[in-house]
Amino acid sequence: MEVEKILISKGVLKRVFFRSFLLQALWNFKGMQNAGFLYTIKPALDFLYPVPNERKNAYTRHLDFFNTHPYYASYIIGAVCAAEERYAATDSEDDLARIVGIKKILGGPIAAFGESQIWGTLRPFAAVIGVFFIILFSKNIALMWIGPAAAFIFYSSVHLYLRYCGLEDGYKLEDQVFEGLFTGKLQKSFVYMRITAIVMAVFLLVRGFLGAGPSVMLKTAYPVVFIIVALFIKKVPATVLFYAVIIAGGIFARFCY
Amino acid sequence: MYSRPLIAGPIAGLCLGNPYVGFIAGLCVELIWVRVIPIGDSVPPDSTLTAVLASAAAATAARNLGIDNISAVIPALAVSVPCGILYKMAEIRLRASNAGIVDAVRVKIIRGDFASVDRETFYAVIRKFFIGAAFFLAAYALVTALPEGYWRVMDITRGSEIVMRFIYILCFAQLFEMFLKWK
């Protein structure tokens, strides 16, 4: 028998969307994003459970350990909203287990996926776009603003799209939303991003080499420094390498003149 | 995204009337730490604070001491990077203290105080803002109080352009390492 569900209204979902930006505000080492998750989903819970006792149970249920990628978390939030909606109508044990299951099982894989795609590809790619324009227009300060603006617009559009559509799709499709997420178009576009970023980095490097000036010493130093840095980059922390490069550059410059 | 060094640096530079140093400082900080990403419970060094501090300190030094932009950015970056790492330690403390707050929220919810989670989230945002602002102002005061000899360190080598070029090489190498699998 189909039970009549109380549907979460669009306004409530909109409030959940705006609250999802503060998902990591109370990030802690014990429960990670647990309080943030409760804060995000609170309007939906308030809407579904008007009785204080039920509401208390729902709140404590969402204070359990939870951690995932903050952007892809929207998919989980949407799916949990739909699962809570069903549980509020049926009150069955299976639906309760489903809510806990979505959070427990999907948190890890989504985090791994999001970290390699967003932190590992999208954010550096946005940085490359910005750096590319800054160096290309380095003669004109007004035009240099194109770099940060392009990086901001590109990154924010993907970020907001993921957050908004993640919530909508997660709510509509529930746990089936994850079936198409790990393959398909999205995955392909990240491969293209990698290739484009490498091409841009090569362009910047070659441009730097050509702009090194007429000095033969500088011209030879350029590839030599690059090879030395590339050899050490895996073993030495980024900060140490930065200081090493400054000191080496200072000595070289003193020696050069 | 506006909190990335690439964007925050130029804005900080613009506020002090010298966006050019902001562009260079933001670019360097962004690319030097491009491979440092927050996975799981790891807290990366605060690149935003580093970029804003470097831009502000470089703009101040360039104006007050009359040194050229690139010679001002390199010492500013060298002194801002440790501040970013120090702030990371402060942030780890802050995040550890959040665990106690969440436990208190749980007790309050069981007692029927449902608004406590909203309140604590709001306080967490405010607290983080003020701790960050206080840290930045203290670091800025310390950095600008450095003796003039420190800011003129690039005069000894007389080749700040070359050092900057070397830093750019490091930045591009970091990018290759990020996108290309050497294996």
Side-chain angles (χ1 to χ4, degrees):
Chain A
M1 192 184 82
E2 188 65 29
V3 193
E4 206 175 312
K5 284 199 285 188
I6 318 159
L7 292 175
I8 295 176
S9 67
K10 276 235 149 141
V12 172
L13 271 186
K14 209 174 263 173
R15 280 175 65 201
V16 171
F17 167 70
F18 284 117
R19 278 170 171 244
S20 73
F21 287 94
L22 289 179
L23 182 69
Q24 308 220 73
L26 269 172
W27 199 101
N28 59 86
F29 288 105
K30 204 171 162 193
M32 299 210 173
Q33 293 168 347
N34 58 353
F37 193 90
L38 173 60
Y39 175 78
T40 307
I41 207 170
K42 194 171 171 277
L45 295 181
D46 287 351
F47 181 81
L48 290 169
Y49 304 105
V51 186
N53 217 16
E54 283 180 354
R55 192 182 282 188
K56 194 188 291 178
N57 286 340
Y59 274 36
T60 43
R61 179 161 68 230
H62 287 295
L63 268 180
D64 287 341
F65 177 89
F66 177 72
N67 194 36
T68 192
H69 188 273
Y71 305 167
Y72 281 101
S74 287
Y75 285 92
I76 298 181
I77 292 164
V80 167
C81 278
E84 281 284 358
E85 196 180 78
R86 175 154 338 120
Y87 176 64
T90 61
D91 210 10
S92 79
E93 285 292 318
D94 286 352
D95 288 330
L96 183 63
R98 199 190 181 91
I99 297 170
V100 182
I102 289 173
K103 283 175 71 178
K104 281 249 153 74
I105 297 164
L106 286 166
I110 292 275
F113 179 70
E115 266 144 20
S116 78
Q117 303 297 39
I118 304 295
W119 298 156
T121 310
L122 185 72
R123 203 168 75 177
F125 183 66
V128 177
I129 293 178
V131 169
F132 184 79
F133 284 116
I134 287 178
I135 292 186
L136 206 66
F137 298 125
S138 56
K139 295 275 182 290
N140 188 337
I141 290 196
L143 284 179
M144 272 167 107
W145 284 103
I146 294 175
F152 179 76
I153 291 167
F154 172 74
Y155 187 84
S156 296
S157 55
V158 179
H159 161 209
L160 292 176
Y161 171 83
L162 277 180
R163 275 205 200 260
Y164 191 76
C165 290
L167 192 64
E168 292 259 303
D169 290 354
Y171 177 67
K172 254 184 245 151
L173 303 168
E174 243 178 279
D175 42 359
Q176 281 159 3
V177 72
F178 302 107
E179 278 169 15
L181 195 63
F182 298 109
T183 52
K185 272 187 201 162
L186 205 64
Q187 193 77 10
K188 232 178 197 171
S189 66
F190 283 109
V191 177
Y192 290 136
M193 264 182 218
R194 273 175 185 276
I195 296 167
T196 321
I198 291 168
V199 171
M200 279 174 158
V202 169
F203 174 82
L204 291 174
L205 206 63
V206 171
R207 197 175 178 278
F209 176 70
L210 294 179
S215 162
V216 182
M217 222 158 159
L218 267 180
K219 281 257 194 259
T220 40
Y222 207 85
V224 169
V225 172
F226 182 74
I227 290 166
I228 293 172
V229 166
L231 283 177
F232 283 102
I233 208 161
K234 265 228 153 100
K235 293 155 202 154
V236 185
T239 316
V240 178
L241 210 57
F242 168 66
Y243 284 108
V245 163
I246 288 188
I247 293 165
I251 293 168
F252 179 80
R254 180 88 179 126
F255 175 67
C256 215
Y257 289 102
Chain B
M1 182 63 189
Y2 54 84
S3 69
R4 293 305 298 163
L6 196 67
I7 296 160
I11 292 173
L14 186 71
C15 293
L16 287 159
N18 191 351
Y20 187 76
V21 290
F23 280 114
I24 302 175
L27 186 156
C28 291
V29 175
E30 175 84 53
L31 291 190
I32 287 163
W33 279 336
V34 75
R35 289 192 303 133
V36 184
I37 52 176
I39 292 181
D41 67 344
S42 71
V43 184
D46 201 299
S47 50
T48 314
L49 188 122
T50 313
V52 173
L53 185 60
S55 315
T60 313
R63 200 185 59 186
N64 290 353
L65 307 173
I67 30 183
D68 69 294
N69 287 335
I70 291 177
S71 300
V73 167
I74 296 165
L77 275 175
V79 79
S80 305
V81 164
C83 294
I85 295 169
L86 267 180
Y87 185 66
K88 164 194 166 174
M89 289 169 188
E91 195 172 344
I92 289 175
R93 289 267 169 98
L94 187 72
R95 288 185 178 199
S97 74
N98 277 346
I101 294 167
V102 174
D103 284 344
V105 166
R106 192 194 299 268
V107 172
K108 277 179 191 162
I109 285 170
I110 290 168
R111 284 183 188 150
D113 179 10
F114 295 126
S116 61
V117 65
D118 288 352
R119 215 165 41 233
E120 289 301 339
T121 306
F122 177 71
Y123 288 153
V125 174
I126 297 286
R127 194 163 51 233
K128 182 148 187 212
F129 171 76
F130 278 110
I131 290 174
F135 190 95
F136 171 76
L137 290 177
Y140 180 68
L142 277 178
V143 166
T144 44
L146 283 172
E148 198 181 334
Y150 175 75
W151 293 104
R152 293 199 182 279
V153 71
M154 279 295 135
D155 292 353
I156 306 168
T157 61
R158 279 171 290 155
S160 53
E161 293 270 343
I162 296 174
V163 180
M164 206 63 220
R165 229 169 252 288
F166 277 30
I167 297 174
Y168 279 159
I169 295 175
L170 170 69
C171 294
F172 300 147
Q174 295 280 12
L175 272 183
F176 276 106
E177 180 62 29
M178 185 87 224
F179 286 109
L180 208 73
K181 300 279 174 277
W182 293 106
K183 289 170 217 157

